[in-house]
Amino acid sequence: ASRSFLSSGINAEYGGAWHPSRVCFSVPRAGQFGYHHRTEVNKKVYRVGVKGDDKSASTPFDLTDKAITPMGGFHHYGQINEDFLMIKGCVMGPRKRLLTLRKSLLVHTKRAALENINLKFIDTASKWGHGRFQTDAEKKAFMGLLKKDREAME
């Protein structure tokens, strides 16, 4: 890999470490494992949500009418206003990076892949600080009438 340097001696194009003097397999490159096209397999879909559903976080065990967005919104994202997928595990990249999903080409035979998903509870407490309340109504019932609510009524 050719190495180009700026006048300050900073490596301008990243081709990996100086030694070993070849590009390692772990260096992001243009291809299946490049920065703009990371490939992962076997992501299990827990829930498919539709736009405008106010009961998207309700389950048969938790009958509370609540939307999927936690109180205060998701960190550095905000409110969920469109269709969404709830996926097991994590996804690479920042919160608003576009993802491309496709159906798996493999036939799944493992027990973990074939078992049915039965969600019991979806946590919608605030992700900032110590979130104690699942809904705004639950918080108001616990806290009672606040000063800002009293001033708004006047």
Side-chain angles (χ1 to χ4, degrees), residues 58-110:
S58 298
T59 63
F61 294 91
D62 179 27
L63 299 175
T64 310
D65 294 343
K66 54 185 180 177
I68 196 67
T69 305
M71 290 186 65
F74 284 99
H75 284 197
H76 302 288
Y77 185 83
Q79 307 289 323
I80 302 293
N81 299 324
E82 296 294 327
D83 298 346
F84 67 90
L85 285 176
M86 187 184 292
I87 298 175
K88 179 180 180 180
C90 62
V91 189
M92 282 193 270
R95 285 142 184 85
K96 295 187 181 184
R97 171 145 319 141
L98 185 66
L99 295 174
T100 304
L101 301 173
R102 68 169 168 81
K103 192 174 185 315
S104 177
L105 300 175
L106 303 173
V107 177
H108 297 287
T109 56
K110 295 204 171 185

Side-chain angles (χ1 to χ4, degrees), residues 3-125:
R3 304 196 190 287
S4 62
F5 289 92
L6 300 174
S7 60
S8 62
I10 297 171
N11 192 352
E13 71 180 58
Y14 180 70
W18 190 279
H19 284 291
S21 57
R22 58 195 167 283
V23 181
C24 291
F25 74 94
S26 59
V27 174
R29 305 177 75 184
Q32 281 293 327
F33 290 101
Y35 178 76
H36 295 290
H37 192 162
R38 302 250 183 209
T39 301
E40 291 187 30
V41 293
N42 302 335
K43 288 292 180 192
K44 197 161 198 171
V45 177
Y46 278 170
R47 177 164 286 195
V48 178
V50 293
K51 177 181 180 178
D53 185 12
D54 292 336
K55 300 178 183 179
S56 57
S58 298
T59 63
F61 294 91
D62 179 27
L63 299 175
T64 310
D65 294 343
K66 54 185 180 177
I68 196 67
T69 305
M71 290 186 65
F74 284 99
H75 284 197
H76 302 288
Y77 185 83
Q79 307 289 323
I80 302 293
N81 299 324
E82 296 294 327
D83 298 346
F84 67 90
L85 285 176
M86 187 184 292
I87 298 175
K88 179 180 180 180
C90 62
V91 189
M92 282 193 270
R95 285 142 184 85
K96 295 187 181 184
R97 171 145 319 141
L98 185 66
L99 295 174
T100 304
L101 301 173
R102 68 169 168 81
K103 192 174 185 315
S104 177
L105 300 175
L106 303 173
V107 177
H108 297 287
T109 56
K110 295 204 171 185
R111 177 178 236 153
L114 296 176
E115 68 185 5
N116 288 332
I117 298 164
N118 189 10
L119 290 178
K120 294 187 177 171
F121 180 74
I122 298 173
D123 185 25
T124 57

Side-chain angles (χ1 to χ4, degrees), residues 129-142:
H130 306 286
R132 299 192 305 174
F133 307 106
Q134 295 294 316
T135 61
D136 197 39
E138 182 182 335
K139 182 177 179 181
K140 284 182 180 172
F142 180 82

